[in-house]
Amino acid sequence: MSECPLCNETNNCAISLGNKPETCWCMNVTIAPQLLEKAAPESNTCICQKCVDEWNEKGRF
């Protein structure tokens, strides 16, 4: 399993779990560019839903 580059918790990425990309939770949400910038560009891992939800609700995580 992969870890979120922002909080280091499991990101529940469908691809890292061996499932089809279209089954991933992230396919149905908008991820703000500002949040993507906070993740290390070289990390190549997905941000978790908790961090995305917090950003979308509060503008921060």
Side-chain angles (χ1 to χ4, degrees):
M1 284 200 216
S2 296
E3 293 180 348
C4 173
L6 301 174
C7 70
N8 296 317
E9 292 185 25
T10 301
N11 62 17
N12 293 315
C13 176
I15 297 169
S16 69
L17 295 171
N19 299 319
K20 295 180 181 179
E22 59 271 12
T23 65
C24 195
W25 66 268
C26 72
M27 294 300 202
N28 297 308
V29 297
T30 300
I31 301 175
Q34 300 93 327
L35 188 59
L36 294 172
E37 289 172 9
K38 289 189 176 290
E42 66 278 356
S43 71
N44 290 330
T45 59
C46 297
I47 298 169
C48 73
Q49 187 171 6
K50 182 185 121 205
C51 287
V52 171
D53 289 345
E54 284 187 35
W55 182 271
N56 288 341
E57 291 173 18
K58 303 174 187 175
R60 59 185 165 79
F61 63 96

